[in-house]
Amino acid sequence: MAEPESPETAAEHERILREVDSTDTACLGPTLRSVYDGEEHGRFMEKLDARIRNHDREIEKMCNFHYQGFVDAITEFLKVRAEAQKLKNQVTDTNRKLQMESKKLVGAMEELKQCRLQQRNISATVDKLTQCLPVLEMDSKLREQMKSKRHYPALKTLEHLEHLHLPQVSHYRFCKVMVDNIPKLHEEIKEVSMSDLKDFLESIRKHSDKIGETAMKQVPGAQDLVDFSPVYRCLHIYSVLGARDSFESYYRKQRRKQARLVLQPPSNMHETLGGYRKYFNQIVGFFVIEDHVLHTSQGLVDRVYIDELWEMALSKTIAALRTHSSYCSDPNLILDLKNLIVLFADTLQGYGFPVNHLFDLLLEIRDQYSETLLKKWAGAFRNILDSDNYSPIPVANEEQYQKMVGQFPFHDPELEKQPFPKKFPFSEFVPRVYSQIKEFIYACLKFSEDLHLSSTEVDDMIRKSTNLLLTRTLSNCLQNVIKRRNVGLTELVQIIINTTHLEKSCRFLEEFITNITNVLPETVHTTKLYGTTTFKDARHAAEEEIYTNLNQKIDQFLQLADYDWMAVEAGSKASDYLVDLIAFLRSTFAVFTHLPGKVAQTACMSACKHLAISLTQLLLEAEVRQLSLGALQQFNLDVAECEQFARSGPVPGFQGDTLQLAFIDLRQLLDLFLQWDWSTYLADYGQPTCKYLRVNPTTALILLEKMKDTSRKNNVFAQFRKNERDKQKLIDTVAKQLRGLINTHHS
């Protein structure tokens, strides 16, 4: 007997059956599986069969109830079948047509789909390109600017690209490449702009000469000859790239190097003015450029840097000028150099550079200029003195007279009254030397122009230089002429006359300087001209030379003396050589008419004294060992001739027998021996009233010794010949007494 079914099982089976009734057969798997998983599937099958039978009975009842309707429906269905077949055929045909048409539609739809896809892609691409296009355009623009070397715009383009456009498309790979390339582009721009700067520096180095030349012509806008844009571009580029300091350092370093090159003068600069001009042009050009950069570059260079450069340039320029100007011996070149330095200084002063040291240098060069002038004028004076004929200047008419007076300040009422032709007392060298002195003063004045000196300073400079000309240059030239061997007495006399007139002209030179400087001579600290001293010294030298020359002429005549010192008796007249000598002296002193009286008197007295001394020496010289009374008497005739010359007054102005006193020593000596007046000489020796006061005992002893041994050979002492022993005894006694006088005098 089967076990009774539990209520839970029965309820579960009932649920499953309801689920089977209401559920799609495709979903019965899990339901049935739950039956088989349990242990009551047999009972369930029984209940399922009971349910099926129940449904079959209901279906049978339903069919029985609707059978007639079914038959009617079948009949209707058969009727409809023919129509359905026809409809089917129509539907099939329509389907076929639809399929054919749909294939086209599907193809068109596929194409439309692809077009839509492409459209979306294109739209997306356009959007992306719209974002990238400015970047690409900027990149293209950048490359074009780089290619055309427009580096400043290129840098601005690169800035926009880097900061504005690239951040918007930074996720694209090509943008990352561009971003990575930006530092390289920065460096490239820096390098290229630096290359432009180097080209600029080289260009201004080459053209600074032209720039300076333009500036020194006082032409405004000399800096306009230079395109400074490379400097400004490079400065901005380096500033933008954060490298301004390195750029400033590089620029200043390079310009310092260029400054040193500019300030190095060529070795032959002193040879021509063009060498100095080019040197100055380069320096001016350099500082014109730097001054412009200072005022337009916003700090690329500053005033401290410029002042430092100028200080270096000034010291080197002054040193170079001091060295090279010292080689110059041409005063015209030095004057041109001075004018060039003044223009150089004024030009740079116009740009604000201090130039006081340049004017101090000009004062140094002024001294050198004076020295070269002195050398030049020394040559001029030498030519004048060498070419002069040392003869008074003749004038044939009033025109010639006035022309000469116009050249040299001379006024002589006596000469003006004389009829033509007449002569000026001086020779040609007087007006020529005077004119040269004035030319020298003009030359000194030229150098003082534009030196910003006061009138007093100019006057002082001219007077000091003129004093050097007179006291050194002209004085030396005059002294050389006076001292040269072939100068004659006539030339010396004319030199004395000339220097006398030049001395008188010094006050006119003073007035000449006063007129051109407007500084009165009475002004405190005004230098006086020393011309009078120069001409006095020259005149005194000429006078001394006249005295020396006269003495030399006298000596030459005395060399012709040919005395027979053992002559038995004297001749009837003075010796020929002495007669010629006296004639020479007379003709010479006749030339002295235009000399100052004192000069002529001194020359005449000097000549007579020299003649007397020379005659005495001739008598006493050691070679004359013996001397006869006849020779002494002939010598006395010659001395008497000299005394006669002195008494004749060859030169006016001597009082009484003053000129004869030149021979007094010799006269007393000869009288002592010819009169053999030893008793008087020995008795009165040393007394102011002594007859033979001028006879020196030593001289008398020498002459006595020469005459002592002649008695054996001739009749010299005939009047004293009582016997030989008395004569010898007398001479020995006189000689002994003379020695006593000599010893007493020496003691």
Side-chain angles (χ1 to χ4, degrees):
M1 180 172 171
E3 294 180 1
E5 184 180 16
S6 64
E8 292 83 3
T9 302
E12 179 64 21
H13 287 171
E14 186 61 31
R15 184 188 65 77
I16 293 172
L17 287 174
R18 283 196 304 272
E19 188 172 342
V20 170
D21 286 339
S22 60
T23 304
D24 189 4
T25 56
C27 299
L28 288 177
T31 304
L32 294 178
R33 188 169 186 84
S34 65
V35 174
Y36 285 100
D37 286 343
E39 295 177 356
E40 298 292 335
H41 59 277
R43 290 183 182 274
F44 177 76
M45 291 302 296
E46 290 176 357
K47 289 183 178 182
L48 180 61
D49 288 340
R51 178 65 59 92
I52 292 171
R53 286 192 299 271
N54 188 26
H55 282 302
D56 285 341
R57 283 192 298 272
E58 288 180 357
I59 291 171
E60 185 178 352
K61 286 179 179 180
M62 182 67 69
C63 288
N64 289 331
F65 179 75
H66 293 291
Y67 177 74
Q68 186 60 44
F70 176 70
V71 172
D72 292 337
I74 291 299
T75 303
E76 289 294 326
F77 180 73
L78 290 174
K79 289 179 181 178
V80 172
R81 183 171 64 180
E83 294 296 328
Q85 186 62 40
K86 188 186 293 185
L87 181 61
K88 176 182 177 183
N89 291 338
Q90 291 178 348
V91 170
T92 300
D93 186 56
T94 301
N95 181 56
R96 180 181 58 78
K97 292 180 180 178
L98 181 61
Q99 289 296 326
M100 290 177 63
E101 293 299 327
S102 63
K103 285 181 181 179
K104 295 179 181 179
L105 180 60
V106 168
M109 289 298 291
E110 190 64 30
E111 290 178 0
L112 179 60
K113 178 181 177 182
Q114 291 298 325
C115 287
R116 295 280 182 163
L117 181 60
Q118 290 176 356
Q119 185 179 17
R120 285 195 299 271
N121 290 340
I122 290 171
S123 178
T125 302
V126 168
D127 291 340
K128 301 301 181 183
L129 286 175
T130 301
Q131 290 181 335
C132 295
L133 191 58
V135 176
L136 298 174
E137 288 176 347
M138 294 294 284
D139 183 67
S140 175
K141 181 180 179 182
L142 174 64
R143 296 182 184 280
E144 180 62 31
Q145 289 170 337
M146 293 289 288
K147 183 178 180 181
S148 60
K149 297 184 178 181
R150 295 162 56 216
H151 305 110
Y152 177 62
L155 183 63
K156 294 182 71 69
T157 301
L158 188 59
E159 288 181 22
H160 287 135
L161 189 62
E162 180 181 8
H163 300 294
L164 185 62
H165 298 286
L166 283 177
Q168 298 179 9
V169 290
S170 59
H171 52 284
Y172 294 111
R173 187 172 59 184
F174 80 91
C175 293
K176 293 180 180 178
V177 173
M178 292 177 67
V179 170
D180 294 340
N181 197 39
I182 286 176
K184 296 179 182 179
L185 289 173
H186 283 165
E187 288 302 316
E188 182 179 351
I189 291 174
K190 284 174 64 177
E191 290 175 3
V192 176
S193 63
M194 181 57 71
S195 176
D196 288 346
L197 177 68
K198 290 178 180 178
D199 292 341
F200 167 80
L201 292 174
E202 180 64 20
S203 174
I204 60 175
R205 186 188 69 81
K206 291 180 179 179
H207 295 94
S208 60
D209 183 12
K210 183 66 176 177
I211 299 166
E213 179 184 3
T214 303
M216 287 183 66
K217 289 178 180 177
Q218 307 300 314
V219 179
Q223 64 275 3
D224 295 340
L225 297 174
V226 181
D227 178 14
F228 289 90
S229 57
V231 179
Y232 304 144
R233 286 197 301 268
C234 198
L235 174 62
H236 182 75
I237 288 170
Y238 271 74
S239 299
V240 170
L241 298 177
R244 180 187 177 100
D245 291 343
S246 64
F247 174 75
E248 288 182 2
S249 175
Y250 176 82
Y251 177 84
R252 295 183 182 187
K253 181 179 179 182
Q254 293 303 312
R255 288 298 277 165
R256 281 194 183 95
K257 288 181 179 179
Q258 290 189 344
R260 292 188 179 93
L261 290 175
V262 165
L263 295 169
Q264 184 65 36
S267 58
N268 62 342
M269 180 175 73
H270 59 277
E271 295 178 359
T272 63
L273 188 66
Y276 288 107
R277 182 177 288 111
K278 183 175 182 181
Y279 181 63
F280 288 140
N281 286 346
Q282 289 178 340
I283 296 174
V284 171
F286 179 90
F287 282 99
V288 166
I289 291 170
E290 288 306 288
D291 181 74
H292 186 73
V293 171
L294 170 68
H295 291 94
T296 59
S297 65
Q298 299 178 350
L300 176 57
V301 296
D302 53 25
R303 176 52 65 183
V304 174
Y305 159 80
I306 293 293
D307 290 344
E308 178 188 343
L309 267 184
W310 174 240
E311 185 177 349
M312 176 190 73
L314 193 60
S315 63
K316 288 184 176 293
T317 302
I318 290 175
L321 290 175
R322 185 178 287 126
T323 299
H324 283 267
S325 63
S326 65
Y327 299 142
C328 185
S329 58
D330 180 6
N332 292 327
L333 179 57
I334 296 179
L335 183 61
D336 290 338
L337 173 60
K338 166 256 171 181
N339 292 330
L340 200 57
I341 293 175
V342 169
L343 179 58
F344 172 71
D346 289 345
T347 301
L348 287 171
Q349 191 174 38
Y351 285 91
F353 295 99
V355 294
N356 292 336
H357 291 312
L358 286 173
F359 285 98
D360 294 339
L361 172 67
L362 284 173
L363 297 181
E364 295 179 27
I365 296 178
R366 177 192 65 186
D367 297 335
Q368 183 189 348
Y369 175 71
S370 296
E371 287 299 320
T372 57
L373 283 181
L374 292 175
K375 290 179 182 178
K376 179 180 178 180
W377 257 257
F381 288 146
R382 281 194 298 269
N383 292 335
I384 291 172
L385 296 176
D386 291 343
S387 62
D388 196 60
N389 59 8
Y390 294 94
S391 299
I393 302 174
V395 287
N397 51 51
E398 183 67 24
E399 182 181 355
Q400 293 179 358
Y401 185 89
Q402 292 300 327
K403 180 179 179 182
M404 182 55 61
V405 173
Q407 293 176 359
F408 181 74
F410 177 79
H411 177 66
D412 184 359
E414 293 299 324
L415 183 62
E416 290 177 359
K417 294 176 183 178
Q418 295 178 14
F420 292 101
K422 52 189 174 184
K423 294 181 179 180
F424 286 95
F426 46 80
S427 68
E428 283 284 352
F429 97 55
V430 170
R432 293 180 66 189
V433 165
Y434 184 80
S435 296
Q436 284 299 320
I437 295 173
K438 291 173 67 176
E439 288 297 321
F440 179 87
I441 293 171
Y442 274 127
C444 292
L445 180 65
K446 285 181 181 178
F447 194 92
S448 66
E449 294 173 350
D450 302 320
L451 292 187
H452 311 305
L453 299 175
S454 66
S455 298
T456 304
E457 290 173 315
V458 173
D459 183 85
D460 184 67
M461 181 198 79
I462 292 176
R463 289 176 181 272
K464 287 181 177 178
S465 298
T466 306
N467 276 334
L468 285 176
L469 178 75
L470 296 173
T471 60
R472 192 174 78 186
T473 306
L474 181 56
S475 178
N476 289 341
C477 291
L478 289 171
Q479 295 291 341
N480 290 336
V481 170
I482 293 168
K483 299 294 183 182
R484 65 188 179 191
R485 288 187 177 182
N486 60 346
V487 65
L489 286 170
T490 304
E491 288 87 349
L492 290 171
V493 170
Q494 191 62 57
I495 288 173
I496 291 175
I497 296 170
N498 289 352
T499 51
T500 300
H501 288 284
L502 283 172
E503 180 184 350
K504 293 177 180 178
S505 72
C506 285
R507 65 185 183 90
F508 295 101
L509 291 176
E510 290 267 12
E511 293 176 4
F512 178 71
I513 295 175
T514 299
N515 289 335
I516 63 176
T517 62
N518 295 319
V519 177
L520 297 177
E522 298 80 17
T523 304
V524 180
H525 306 308
T526 299
T527 305
K528 304 301 180 184
L529 287 186
Y530 302 140
T532 55
T533 304
T534 296
F535 298 124
K536 283 180 180 178
D537 292 344
R539 185 165 62 253
H540 292 159
E543 292 170 4
E544 291 296 329
E545 197 64 24
I546 285 178
Y547 307 151
T548 302
N549 196 303
L550 273 174
N551 293 343
Q552 289 174 349
K553 289 291 184 181
I554 291 172
D555 292 341
Q556 291 173 9
F557 278 103
L558 288 173
Q559 289 176 3
L560 300 175
D562 187 19
Y563 287 101
D564 180 6
W565 297 114
M566 298 303 295
V568 177
E569 59 182 12
S572 60
K573 60 178 183 177
S575 302
D576 291 341
Y577 87 90
L578 192 70
V579 174
D580 293 340
L581 171 58
I582 296 301
F584 164 75
L585 291 176
R586 289 186 187 279
S587 63
T588 297
F589 291 133
V591 178
F592 287 11
T593 53
H594 293 294
L595 283 177
K598 184 178 179 181
V599 177
Q601 293 168 17
T602 304
C604 188
M605 178 60 77
S606 173
C608 290
K609 284 184 177 180
H610 182 73
L611 177 56
I613 293 171
S614 299
L615 287 172
T616 303
Q617 291 174 345
L618 187 64
L619 193 62
L620 300 177
E621 63 183 8
E623 294 179 0
V624 181
R625 298 182 180 276
Q626 294 180 332
L627 185 63
S628 68
L629 183 59
L632 199 62
Q633 290 171 339
Q634 179 62 47
F635 197 81
N636 183 59
L637 288 175
D638 292 346
V639 174
E641 185 72 18
C642 293
E643 291 172 326
Q644 174 59 33
F645 168 73
R647 281 193 298 272
S648 68
V651 171
F654 285 110
Q655 298 293 327
D657 57 355
T658 302
L659 192 57
Q660 284 180 264
L661 293 177
F663 299 97
I664 189 63
D665 291 9
L666 187 56
R667 169 47 54 206
Q668 290 185 8
L669 179 63
L670 290 173
D671 287 348
L672 175 62
F673 275 85
L674 292 175
Q675 296 175 17
W676 204 251
D677 194 8
W678 291 106
S679 58
T680 303
Y681 176 74
L682 294 172
D684 296 342
Y685 180 78
Q687 296 181 14
T689 59
C690 178
K691 180 180 179 181
Y692 303 103
L693 182 65
R694 311 291 295 183
V695 178
N696 186 291
T698 303
T699 304
L701 180 61
I702 294 172
L703 192 58
L704 185 63
E705 293 289 344
K706 293 177 183 291
M707 299 181 67
K708 183 165 63 171
D709 297 328
T710 59
S711 58
R712 299 174 187 162
K713 301 179 181 179
N714 55 46
N715 235 0
V716 175
F717 292 98
Q719 65 269 39
F720 305 111
R721 257 207 201 161
K722 294 183 180 177
N723 57 60
E724 191 68 24
R725 283 185 310 172
D726 291 343
K727 181 205 73 167
Q728 285 298 115
K729 185 178 180 181
L730 178 60
I731 292 177
D732 290 341
T733 300
V734 172
K736 183 178 180 181
Q737 290 178 323
L738 288 174
R739 291 189 184 95
L741 290 176
I742 293 170
N743 292 333
T744 302
H745 178 70
H746 283 176
S747 63

